[in-house]
Amino acid sequence: MSRPRIVIVGAGFAGYRTARTLSRLTRHQADITLLNPTDYFLYLPLLPQVAAGILEPRRVSVSLSGTLPHVRLVLGEADGIDLDGHTVHYSGPEGEEGTLPFDRLVLAAGSVNKLLPVPGVAEHAHGFRGLPEALYLRDHVTRQVELAAAAKDRAECAARCTFVVVGAGYTGTEVAAHGAMYTDAQVRRHPMRTGIRPRWMLLDVAPRVLPEMDERLSRTAERVMRQRGVDVRMGTSVKEATHDGVLLTDGSTVDTRTLVWCVGVRPDPLVESLGLPLERGRLLVDSHLRVPGRPEVFACGDVAAVPDLNQPGQYTPMTAQHAWRHGKVCAQNVAASLGVGRRRAYRHRDMGFVVDLGGAKAAANPLGLPMSGPAAGAVTRGYHLAAMPGNRVRVAADWLLDAVLPRQAVQLGLVRSWSVPLESASPEVARVPGRPERARQAGTGTGERDAVDPGAERAGEERSEEQPAGGPSRGRPDGAAAKGRPDGEPAKNPPGGDPAEGRPSGEPARNPPGGEPAENQPHAEPREEQPHGSRSGSTRASGRPRRAAETARPPDRGTRKPRKTPGTSGATRSANPAAPSGPTRSADGPANPVPEPPADQPSPGPDIAPGPVKRTDGRAAEGDS
């Protein structure tokens, strides 16, 4: 008799713990497959420390294959599910496609970015949800401080030194607290010639900081923020974002080059394609985390609306504390459906919250005991070390080094602005030239933004920072991923050549290497102008200078089979016609050996531009890592 096949979609806190617990319970009596776009489990609570230069990125990335030795890892993203045919269709990281048959299915796909209908946010805001966004934000903040130090104009220096964070929940509060310490340390070593110091602003429509926590802890967090010079404005948010500033709801204007969006998220739209009952975008399940009418399908984490047995008529919130506990109960019930052990209903007990404010400061209420100051800082870091499923020694070593050595404030330029768009269904994966994009879009599944009242953004859909159960939970109100920029300017520079504009000699480059004029080269043709709000290419149609990432197009590699379509029971997600997934290839071979790249995606090739791009808005061009 063949062993049962279990497929788990997603390796967040819920999916990771489901796989780990199932591996222990089944004892090699089942084939467990984990489908995830990355090969690591991200410990999100420590992500602000990555952006602040305290921890290296790999410290918060736990290897899936290394910690789940008896689980088969498949890299890819689920495109559709055929419930009647018991198959999951997925797309791999290099565009390959495949199907995974299952006898038991666990849906733990997590959540995606939720965008509010605020003009300019999708084009000009940074997000904060995954490693690519954290690395980009670290580089961007470092670059702005360095450019401000070299600026002679006080207005430009002040704008570059102003950082606006929207969302005063757990993520936004920690980003502002750690960011203020990081920029202050830079300025202490290299003072501004104009005497201006960095300014951080924290905005939220809520009446107080950390509204999910006890009021005493909120006051503690706000006091620490104000002592560090953070401008905390409650009852205020962004009304419009532009390339050189933001217009606030109170009518004031703030000149800035940095807008960090930490507002909220929504369940992954994968579950919307299944045709099953939903509760505010989440899949309805019973107290045993099983989908009614589908005994072979389970759901947990952010995509599941799990009844709260402690509060009849309510559902458990989208927090990591619940996601981690969902995973354990889900694994036990999946094993029970295979004849191993007994099934159990999901019940929980609130263990409290922890918020790291940087340095020795924190706010926490473990087991309902309010704490602040160094004591809360020690409890917070001790909890994180105990809760992490790996890398504990390395994290502790980085903390020790940060306490005795100055931080390295350098920009590596590994993540470009166009590779981390705010409107992305996969904020955990940076966009790569030539790689097809996912069909589903963040926010609605059709590419449209959620028309959500900003004042209601916290009504049950705020995402907690991922934390295991058994300890304090962190609310996740952040809006995830970094910004999507429209590519509204034609790229001017052929790869390998000198910059076509702005050369030191003032002479534009005429002929790239190879002797052929640039205007006759296929890759030298400018891209078409894209409409406002389209998903980004290598440059940005805004006033913030960006360097073009013009690259050579890859040669055609022959035919490619069409995308498979799952069965009728689980409808696949439709692709957004405005966002093609990659170069199209004919089954009979290409008519042109050099295909035209899609409008929403930069050409494959080197990720470093050979020179500045000519701008159409009158602003000087400058480099952007």
Side-chain angles (χ1 to χ4, degrees):
M1 181 178 178
S2 60
R3 298 191 298 177
R5 299 162 298 185
I6 304 173
V7 174
I8 304 171
V9 179
F13 275 68
Y16 178 83
R17 196 173 192 193
T18 299
R20 192 173 74 170
T21 307
L22 267 175
S23 177
R24 176 177 55 85
L25 293 177
T26 57
R27 298 181 182 276
H28 313 292
Q29 297 178 11
D31 291 329
I32 305 174
T33 301
L34 181 61
L35 177 64
N36 198 59
T38 64
D39 65 347
Y40 60 84
F41 159 76
L42 178 62
Y43 190 76
L44 277 171
L46 296 181
L47 199 59
Q49 297 191 24
V50 174
I54 300 174
L55 297 177
E56 291 302 315
R58 287 184 295 177
R59 305 295 185 258
V60 298
S61 309
V62 180
S63 171
L64 295 178
S65 57
T67 56
L68 303 173
H70 304 300
V71 176
R72 176 193 173 204
L73 174 63
V74 175
L75 293 178
E77 302 172 72
D79 291 328
I81 299 174
D82 183 358
L83 296 179
D84 292 335
H86 285 204
T87 56
V88 176
H89 181 269
Y90 70 92
S91 298
E94 297 182 352
E96 68 277 14
E97 301 172 353
T99 56
L100 297 174
F102 64 83
D103 298 307
R104 298 291 186 274
L105 174 65
V106 178
L107 294 174
S111 53
V112 298
N113 309 329
K114 183 179 72 174
L115 295 179
L116 304 180
V118 179
V121 165
E123 294 76 31
H124 306 293
H126 301 268
F128 198 84
R129 181 169 172 76
L131 276 179
E133 296 82 17
L135 293 176
Y136 175 75
L137 182 61
R138 178 178 173 180
D139 275 1
H140 175 79
V141 170
T142 304
R143 178 171 60 255
Q144 295 306 311
V145 174
E146 292 172 346
L147 292 175
K152 297 181 180 180
D153 182 67
R154 289 184 61 85
E156 179 185 357
C157 180
R160 293 191 181 279
C161 281
T162 301
F163 307 93
V164 179
V165 180
V166 183
Y170 297 89
T171 301
T173 300
E174 289 192 346
V175 168
H178 283 279
M181 294 186 65
Y182 179 64
T183 53
D184 284 346
Q186 283 186 269
V187 173
R188 278 196 300 269
R189 290 194 296 269
H190 305 286
M192 303 285 180
R193 67 174 65 185
T194 58
I196 296 176
R197 297 190 61 83
R199 174 194 182 194
W200 284 79
M201 298 182 63
L202 182 62
L203 313 176
D204 203 307
V205 295
R208 58 186 174 91
V209 176
L210 299 174
E212 301 88 352
M213 296 186 68
D214 182 85
E215 188 173 352
R216 289 174 294 179
L217 299 183
S218 296
R219 289 197 299 265
T220 298
E222 184 172 349
R223 183 176 65 252
V224 172
M225 303 280 284
R226 293 189 185 278
Q227 288 174 351
R228 293 180 182 169
V230 179
D231 185 1
V232 180
R233 298 190 186 184
M234 295 294 98
T236 306
S237 188
V238 173
K239 185 177 182 180
E240 182 181 359
T242 63
H243 63 270
D244 55 1
V246 293
L247 174 63
L248 305 184
T249 53
D250 61 5
S252 61
T253 301
V254 178
D255 293 334
T256 180
R257 301 292 188 271
T258 306
L259 177 61
V260 187
W261 192 254
C262 301
V263 174
V265 295
R266 57 156 289 169
D268 193 303
L270 169 66
V271 298
E272 298 177 359
S273 67
L274 301 179
L276 298 174
L278 301 175
E279 170 63 28
R280 300 188 68 179
R282 293 194 285 173
L283 197 62
L284 279 173
V285 297
D286 58 23
S287 60
H288 299 92
L289 283 73
R290 175 174 288 183
V291 177
R294 292 285 179 176
E296 75 283 2
V297 181
F298 296 78
C300 55
D302 287 354
V303 298
V306 182
D308 190 342
L309 299 183
N310 295 331
Q311 302 182 45
Q314 303 293 324
Y315 298 95
T316 58
M318 295 168 60
T319 66
Q321 184 178 116
H322 286 290
W324 186 256
R325 294 176 176 181
H326 286 174
K328 180 179 180 180
V329 175
C330 184
Q332 292 173 337
N333 292 336
V334 170
S337 70
L338 299 175
V340 180
R342 299 183 305 169
R343 71 174 189 165
R344 52 174 291 196
Y346 177 73
R347 290 183 180 273
H348 72 93
R349 178 190 175 196
D350 189 2
M351 303 300 293
F353 306 90
V354 295
V355 178
D356 185 4
L357 299 177
K361 302 295 182 66
N365 61 346
L367 301 177
L369 177 64
M371 303 179 65
S372 61
V379 169
T380 299
R381 293 201 170 186
Y383 166 71
H384 287 319
L385 283 182
M388 289 192 68
N391 299 342
R392 297 186 182 95
V393 175
R394 290 184 171 90
V395 169
D398 276 3
W399 283 342
L400 178 61
L401 292 175
D402 180 69
V404 298
L405 297 176
R407 298 180 194 175
Q408 295 176 303
V410 295
Q411 48 170 321
L412 301 178
L414 300 178
V415 181
R416 311 298 291 272
S417 61
W418 53 261
S419 66
V420 281
L422 187 61
E423 291 183 287
S424 173
S426 301
E428 67 275 14
V429 180
R431 178 179 295 185
V432 176
R435 191 180 70 189
E437 291 298 309
R438 290 172 70 175
R440 68 179 185 268
Q441 306 293 321
T444 62
T446 60
E448 299 175 356
R449 301 181 199 167
D450 293 332
V452 181
D453 180 7
E457 62 195 41
R458 301 185 181 278
E461 290 189 1
E462 290 193 347
R463 175 72 170 102
S464 167
E465 281 282 19
E466 307 285 7
Q467 283 195 22
S473 163
R474 299 151 41 100
R476 172 88 175 172
D478 66 321
K483 42 188 181 173
R485 309 281 194 229
D487 184 9
E489 301 166 359
K492 300 292 185 182
N493 303 326
D498 292 333
E501 301 287 347
R503 296 182 54 166
S505 64
E507 185 77 14
R510 298 295 182 185
N511 297 325
E516 183 122 357
E519 50 269 14
N520 294 331
Q521 295 283 344
H523 59 271
E525 298 175 5
R527 299 186 188 130
E528 294 182 0
E529 188 90 354
Q530 293 192 16
H532 178 75
S534 63
R535 300 179 69 175
S536 64
S538 61
T539 57
R540 185 177 70 168
S542 72
R544 274 191 248 178
R546 294 290 180 233
R547 191 181 289 265
E550 181 66 39
T551 55
R553 298 174 190 154
D556 192 275
R557 298 182 180 177
T559 62
R560 177 182 179 184
K561 61 183 180 180
R563 180 178 293 275
K564 301 177 183 178
T565 302
T568 58
S569 171
T572 59
R573 284 169 251 175
S574 62
N576 183 2
S581 62
T584 56
R585 303 181 184 180
S586 170
D588 299 327
N592 185 348
V594 184
E596 184 72 14
D600 71 331
Q601 183 172 300
S603 304
D607 194 29
I608 299 178
V613 64
K614 183 176 181 181
R615 304 190 57 84
T616 60
D617 55 6
R619 298 175 63 88
E622 59 185 81
D624 177 18
S625 299

